Amino acid sequence: MTRAGTEFELTVDDVAHGGWCVGRHNGQVVFVRHALPGERVRVRVTERTSNLLRAEAIEVLTASPDRVEAPCRFAGPGACGGCDWQHAAPEAQRRLKAKVVADQLRRIAGIDREVVVEELPGTPGGLGWRTRVRFAVDADGNPGLRRHRSHDIEPVDRCLIAHPGVTELGVTELPWPGVREVEAVAAAERADRAIVVTPTGAKLGTLPELKASSAVLRRFKGGRVQQVRGRRGVREIVGEREFRVGAGGFWQVHPAAARVFTEAILAALAPKPGETALDLYCGAGLFTAALAEAVGPEGRALGVENGTESVRDARYNLRDLEQVRIEQHDVAAQMREWADVRADVVALDPPRAGAGAEVVRSIAGTRPRAVAYLSCDPATLARDLAEFDRAGYRLVDLRAFDAFPMTHHVECLAVLEPVNPARRHREAREE
């Protein structure tokens, strides 16, 4: 029996979803971190299940030409789990992610499609991009980041993928007694910064003095966030519109992502004046704003978001657009209430768990001429695309973006249209 801690050599065959590579040892599948396809490595087993092993490459015997020296000294076996591919050149990382997306589409949805992962602007070398970083704090008050598949904390003095605005706060240089987590937030284009502190007990004690000015908020058990000092969050700018984004709300963490994704969704849906647009899981109203401006005062842009803070932000951000309505509700429940709504275009950006069968069927029931589905998980995206296919919608375009360099995460934009658009539009007119 191969136990945790066992070491052996193997040849890495392929890449797998989640930042792993795959090989075989004595006929058993081995998922390996810190390796690359084609390499011969020595591994140490970290976990054993009934049908597979998980391991880390502790020595590279035959290196891939795509291998580079990891820029961060905390990246590697047994250390920080935040990054998956620091040992791969940036262009190789994008090829690996493209392979994973294509594999998931084929295996789960039966879709054979060539995938290219596009680089987002402004991230030279894949560093300095993450505008929100959640640091864990150990029992001695030392900040750090979680190790892979572990609650253990790796103390760090700097995170290289953190945005400069996050680094300037100096969170990793300060002690945090009585604190469980510190989330550091920086606006992409403004000097706005915030920290969200989760204390270990019922009371928030005295906090250390940050290296740069910042709003301070407290996170309670259950996720509720309360102002302690300064703004509730940060201000982001996309195009000519400013968005207020609560420190506990959702916003794309790559500085270029909000603009690039908005442009991509508008290009995919081509909303026209007078149309009805739905924006599901709308967050602070980023895509709702763009859709509302495109459909104009004679159209409608309906957004749905469950988070209280994000709904508050979305309504504030879009208060000048009379054609906008933001509903606070679970998306599946709201779509049941909208059973009679007919939409021309639909945008959705669900959490990692995806939309699910009920929401997909509800979207199809509104009979849109186009759907733009933004996803941060290719496996749940593929599952939902298979459901869209059963509901009469086919994938007509797919773009993938490297919005999370150095990690295994990848953002995909799937564009869907009805299998028989002429028939669907005819039925909609007859109603």
Side-chain angles (χ1 to χ4, degrees), residues 25-324:
H25 176 68
N26 292 337
Q28 192 166 26
V29 175
V30 185
F31 284 81
V32 186
R33 280 176 57 80
H34 311 296
L36 293 172
E39 291 188 329
R40 182 76 178 172
V41 295
R42 184 166 188 81
V43 305
R44 179 183 296 127
V45 176
T46 57
E47 184 180 341
R48 180 184 182 275
T49 68
S50 59
N51 58 349
L52 60 85
L53 301 174
R54 298 188 188 276
E56 294 183 317
I58 57 174
E59 183 182 0
V60 179
L61 305 174
T62 304
S64 164
D66 292 325
R67 178 171 285 274
V68 298
E69 186 74 24
C72 178
R73 64 189 179 92
F74 300 108
C80 173
C83 292
D84 306 289
W85 298 120
Q86 287 214 10
H87 57 287
E91 59 274 14
Q93 295 181 31
R94 293 191 288 275
R95 290 198 305 271
L96 292 170
K97 295 180 185 186
K99 177 70 163 51
V100 167
V101 174
D103 287 349
Q104 296 296 304
L105 292 177
R106 182 174 55 256
R107 185 175 65 84
I108 299 173
I111 297 172
D112 283 309
R113 192 177 191 92
E114 183 178 353
V115 178
V116 175
V117 175
E118 305 173 34
E119 181 181 12
L120 291 186
T123 51
L127 303 176
W129 55 270
R130 192 173 184 92
T131 57
R132 293 176 176 240
V133 181
R134 186 173 293 191
F135 296 97
V137 181
D138 66 20
D140 296 322
N142 301 311
L145 296 164
R146 302 281 181 188
R147 292 173 184 148
H148 188 251
R149 292 174 67 86
S150 171
H151 293 293
D152 294 340
I153 298 170
E154 178 74 16
V156 301
D157 56 20
R158 187 181 178 189
C159 173
L160 293 188
I161 66 171
H163 186 276
V166 168
T167 302
E168 289 164 5
L169 288 169
V171 170
T172 57
E173 304 171 35
L174 301 168
W176 296 90
V179 171
R180 181 179 293 111
E181 287 184 337
V182 182
E183 184 174 9
V185 182
E189 296 187 20
R190 301 194 63 142
D192 292 6
R193 301 179 185 88
I195 62 164
V196 186
V197 180
T198 306
T200 56
K203 294 184 178 180
L204 180 63
T206 302
L207 300 177
E209 185 175 347
L210 295 164
K211 305 289 185 179
S213 62
S214 170
V216 178
L217 300 97
R218 174 190 173 164
R219 179 175 278 114
F220 290 87
K221 185 177 181 180
R224 183 172 68 88
V225 173
Q226 179 187 63
Q227 280 175 274
V228 176
R229 182 179 71 241
R231 298 178 183 274
R232 297 185 64 90
V234 298
R235 294 164 295 176
E236 300 282 0
I237 298 174
V238 180
E240 298 182 357
R241 181 172 290 272
E242 181 178 275
F243 292 84
R244 185 183 74 182
V245 184
F250 172 78
W251 190 259
Q252 296 290 341
V253 295
H254 191 291
R259 175 184 59 81
V260 171
F261 296 166
T262 299
E263 292 172 353
I265 285 175
L266 287 178
L269 296 178
K272 300 175 178 62
E275 288 191 323
T276 294
L278 304 186
D279 183 15
L280 310 181
Y281 315 92
C282 70
L286 172 65
F287 304 140
T288 318
L291 293 168
E293 290 169 354
V295 301
E298 62 271 40
R300 293 189 301 171
L302 310 179
V304 185
E305 171 59 45
N306 202 30
T308 299
E309 187 171 14
S310 291
V311 168
R312 185 188 303 118
D313 288 338
R315 288 172 175 166
Y316 176 83
N317 293 333
L318 310 182
R319 64 195 183 281
D320 60 313
L321 298 170
E322 294 183 358
Q323 64 271 38
V324 168

